[in-house]
Amino acid sequence: MPDEPAERVTKMIDDPATPLWRGAIALRIVTFLFAAANVIANQSGQPGYERPWLAWTTLGVMALWSVFTSRAYSTTWGRRWPVVLADLALTCGLMSLSPLIMSDHQLLTLNVPLITTIWASVPAVALGALGGAAAGFVGGLTVGLFTYLSKGVPSLDLLRDVVLLAGAGMIVGMASATARRSAVRLAQALRAEAATAERERLARSIHDSVLQVLARVRKRGLEVGGEAAELAQLAGEQEVALRNLVAAAPADSTVDGEVDLRPGLQLLATPRVQVSTPATQVMLAAATAGELTSLVREALSNVDKHAGPGARAWVLLEDLGDEVVLSVRDDGPGIPDGRIASAAAEGRMGIEKSIKGRVEALGGALELQTGPGEGTEWEVRVFREGAAR
Amino acid sequence: MTVSVMVVDDHPMWREGVARDLAERGFEVVATAGDAASAVRIAKAVRPDVVLMDLNLGELSGVDATLLITGELPGTRVLVLSASGEHDDVLQAVKAGASGYLVKSASAEELVDAVSRTAAGDAVFTAGLAGLVLGEYRRMAAAPGDSAEEKPQLTERETEVLRLVAKGLTARQIANRLVISHRTVENHVQSTLRKLQLHNRVELARYAIEHGLDSEPEAQR
């Protein structure tokens, strides 16, 4: 129990649409005062209300309901569909009493406002704040429909009110949807930042212990030779794997579905494969990034197969703004002329299909430089959609 | 003349191991230090030719120590020897004035070669560092703010050379491919670093002046 108020407070802060709800409450209070003034002005006078007692009763109910909704909309408890829909129903119901309260003369000739006046606009705003643009629009239309039913005859004034109500509901709905979206983005950014900080802390402590020892074992082992050299090689492999695991940031995608291409590539590094990237993020659509990563993996396994066990490879990632360039180079013997074409002809579609086809599917460009004794170099260029960033 | 070296690393086992490796191969290890503050103090006293600098040193980092040492001792070069991935901290160290970078998993021969080259005034580039430097120039070019003249830029040739370094070609292979001399390749690589470091110093000085930090730092020492 003692935790509940605190929890409610945090939830209140968390709700990005809170300012809109506060606006709805303010609107409710101001419009109630307007409705009260309207009743006072029209109850007596020459063409008075047909049933003044009903007018006062309705105004009393409106007062109670204003207090209730003001309190309800200040809490997360009240910002729910049942409450908001009840608000809409009660408001339309009270409005429908207008023909009983007012004389036909007042209603049709003098164009005196309905008993609820602009107080009736609040449910449209509340629906927008809760459910977005569509809900706000429908809420406005509903209130408009009941206004027409209460008046009984269509008019230009009526049409104007309907447009205003539906429009107001829709705009508030758009605002609340935008507020929610940016809150989600913010939360995501904060989460990514926290994850990065934690990763850095972890990286530091691993660096201070495990990596140092592994590097030392590898070094001394190679110097001692023999069986120790074998152990040294194992330690070296683990050192690289661990370093890359620590360095690779979590692949947390943004709201736009973009991910950093670097972590996926960095995990491909081994003692024989060097991966070089910029220090800053290289954001690409998640599907494109995944495709490029598996493409590089394919090229690297090709190096293993054809360039010999001693060959080394280098992966370079460059971000040129409107395009991203990925190069994979090895220092193996290179692909003899015509090997790629003959492999395709034999139905072993390895390189031809995997790399070329994939690059084409991404709308990118592929360049292959090779020759006997020169190693092999793939260069893939992928253009950014819209090239806005 | 033997090259004098100072080894800075917070890990005693590593520090002593590297010092022994270097001493066995004819270098004079004049000092060691376990944290950045004492590294700066000792370096000022012994003025070594080369400082082998680890980056993860605790409170004051190897990047700060690099900035202070290269700023005050023009005859001393800093070679970063780090186990951390080739990332932002390495780039920051290079911008702070380090003339090269080597991973700790490098062999003893690679280390000896890198220290000799650093002492001779060359830049020691790994493919990973070249990728970071390329990325940094492009980031600065794309960043809003400063007018284009104030930003350091790579010439076409420098970009070409850096890309080949990042793709793992040796200086000799690059010289062959571009039909230029080995020395010219080294000069291009060095120039990319120098421009980055100069820009960094200008930025730091401007920041210090804007924030009133430029008054008499000597008086406190």
Side-chain angles (χ1 to χ4, degrees):
Chain A
M1 266 321 266
D3 286 343
E4 206 183 308
E7 191 180 89
R8 188 176 296 171
V9 167
T10 51
K11 271 187 186 162
M12 291 283 304
I13 294 167
D14 283 346
D15 186 356
T18 296
L20 295 170
W21 288 106
R22 291 211 187 101
I25 293 168
L27 185 67
R28 180 125 266 179
I29 294 165
V30 171
T31 52
F32 174 76
L33 295 177
F34 183 82
N38 176 53
V39 171
I40 292 165
N42 291 298
Q43 48 108 13
S44 57
Q46 261 329 71
Y49 279 142
E50 185 106 357
R51 292 184 179 83
W53 64 270
L54 188 55
W56 289 110
T57 312
T58 308
L59 194 64
V61 173
M62 282 166 64
L64 290 175
W65 188 246
S66 296
V67 171
F68 170 75
T69 50
S70 296
R71 299 199 63 120
Y73 292 164
S74 318
T75 63
T76 40
W77 172 86
R79 296 173 189 174
R80 290 180 303 143
W81 286 106
V83 178
V84 177
L85 289 176
D87 190 2
L88 180 68
L90 188 100
T91 303
C92 292
L94 291 177
M95 191 196 292
S96 308
L97 295 175
S98 297
L100 297 176
I101 296 167
M102 300 156 76
S103 62
D104 284 356
H105 185 58
Q106 275 181 324
L107 198 59
L108 299 175
T109 320
L110 294 176
N111 219 4
V112 166
L114 298 177
I115 187 72
T116 47
T117 66
I118 50 175
W119 187 81
S121 63
V122 177
V125 171
L127 273 166
L130 182 69
F137 184 76
V138 172
L141 278 188
T142 310
V143 175
L145 175 71
F146 275 85
T147 311
Y148 164 68
L149 292 176
S150 305
K151 287 248 183 194
V153 286
S155 73
L156 203 59
D157 279 354
L158 187 72
L159 189 65
R160 184 196 59 205
D161 288 352
V162 172
V163 170
L164 278 175
L165 280 166
M170 192 170 77
I171 287 168
V172 170
M174 286 161 78
S176 85
T178 308
R180 286 206 181 89
R181 251 198 319 274
S182 25
V184 169
R185 273 172 205 253
L186 185 66
Q188 211 157 23
L190 289 175
R191 221 172 30 241
E193 200 178 285
T196 308
E198 172 58 15
R199 191 163 273 272
E200 274 166 10
R201 190 192 64 78
L202 204 66
R204 267 195 300 279
S205 73
I206 287 182
H207 156 83
D208 284 343
S209 50
V210 189
L211 280 181
Q212 295 274 14
V213 173
L214 282 177
R216 193 67 204 145
V217 166
R218 177 183 129 98
K219 214 160 168 192
R220 277 306 290 164
L222 283 178
E223 284 162 11
V224 173
E227 220 169 292
E230 241 171 76
L231 293 176
Q233 199 191 337
L234 291 176
E237 280 167 15
Q238 286 312 304
E239 183 203 341
V240 174
L242 188 58
R243 177 151 17 101
N244 289 320
L245 186 66
V246 168
D252 197 8
S253 66
T254 63
V255 178
D256 311 326
E258 288 200 332
V259 294
D260 186 1
L261 178 56
R262 300 177 307 154
L265 290 181
Q266 274 153 357
L267 287 174
L268 299 175
T270 71
R272 287 175 27 229
V273 176
Q274 160 74 46
V275 177
S276 307
T277 68
T280 44
Q281 293 186 326
V282 179
M283 301 305 286
L284 278 176
T288 310
E291 193 61 17
L292 284 174
T293 307
S294 76
L295 204 146
V296 170
R297 192 179 291 123
E298 177 90 11
L300 289 175
S301 78
N302 212 52
V303 171
D304 274 343
K305 263 185 265 166
H306 301 294
R312 300 187 58 196
W314 291 267
V315 177
L316 172 63
L317 169 64
E318 298 169 90
D319 188 347
L320 304 186
D322 48 3
E323 61 178 334
V324 169
V325 185
L326 252 178
S327 321
V328 181
R329 192 185 84 89
D330 70 62
D331 61 358
I335 304 175
D337 285 342
R339 258 272 293 282
I340 296 180
S342 69
E346 288 166 27
R348 286 193 298 115
M349 301 281 281
I351 315 173
E352 185 77 22
K353 191 179 177 191
S354 294
I355 297 184
K356 228 177 154 186
R358 281 170 166 187
V359 171
E360 274 163 18
L362 291 173
L366 175 73
E367 214 179 295
L368 175 64
Q369 266 188 31
T370 185
E374 271 187 30
T376 310
E377 183 176 333
W378 303 87
E379 191 170 287
V380 177
R381 282 169 185 272
V382 177
F383 301 95
R384 278 210 170 91
E385 271 169 51
R389 249 166 291 194
Chain B
M1 207 190 106
T2 51
V3 175
S4 62
V5 184
M6 173 174 164
V7 182
V8 184
D9 199 300
D10 62 340
H11 214 275
M13 185 183 81
W14 178 267
R15 201 162 60 220
E16 280 148 30
V18 170
R20 201 184 51 219
D21 283 350
L22 290 172
E24 276 171 11
R25 286 168 173 82
F27 293 96
E28 188 190 356
V29 179
V30 289
T32 59
D35 65 89
S38 53
V40 174
R41 206 175 53 243
I42 296 170
K44 278 192 205 163
V46 302
R47 298 176 175 265
D49 296 325
V50 176
V51 177
L52 267 183
M53 180 74 75
D54 183 25
L55 291 181
N56 297 306
L57 293 175
E59 224 173 294
L60 193 64
S61 75
V63 175
D64 302 319
T66 302
L67 188 69
L68 292 169
I69 290 173
T70 55
E72 302 204 11
L73 303 173
T76 299
R77 295 175 200 288
V78 174
L79 175 64
V80 171
L81 186 62
S82 174
S84 74
E86 306 192 347
H87 284 292
D88 207 35
D89 51 350
V90 173
L91 184 64
Q92 294 310 325
V94 162
K95 285 171 77 172
S99 45
Y101 161 66
L102 206 63
V103 263
K104 281 192 171 172
S105 50
S107 69
E109 284 66 37
E110 285 174 301
L111 176 66
V112 167
D113 177 54
V115 174
S116 311
R117 280 167 54 205
T118 305
D122 281 348
V124 176
F125 258 55
T126 58
L129 178 56
L132 288 170
V133 170
L134 268 177
E136 180 64 6
Y137 273 100
R138 283 172 182 146
R139 184 191 67 76
M140 288 191 293
D146 294 0
S147 60
E149 306 94 72
E150 283 179 35
K151 290 181 193 170
Q153 280 177 337
L154 293 176
T155 64
E156 233 168 89
R157 216 351 111 70
E158 285 165 351
T159 308
E160 207 173 4
V161 170
L162 268 191
R163 289 191 80 212
L164 293 176
V165 174
K167 287 176 185 177
L169 277 79
T170 64
R172 204 156 292 286
Q173 286 172 315
I174 295 170
N176 285 342
R177 197 185 272 202
L178 300 182
V179 202
I180 51 179
S181 78
H182 178 252
R183 190 68 244 159
T184 311
V185 174
E186 293 283 2
N187 286 343
H188 281 311
V189 172
Q190 269 186 52
S191 152
T192 64
L193 272 197
R194 252 199 319 274
K195 279 192 270 186
L196 209 54
Q197 291 165 352
L198 187 67
H199 179 71
N200 193 47
R201 297 256 170 211
V202 170
E203 292 280 284
L204 286 174
R206 184 194 288 167
Y207 179 87
I209 291 167
E210 277 169 8
H211 292 77
L213 303 173
D214 60 327
S215 50
E216 298 296 313
E218 302 299 327
Q220 293 160 14
R221 302 228 169 93

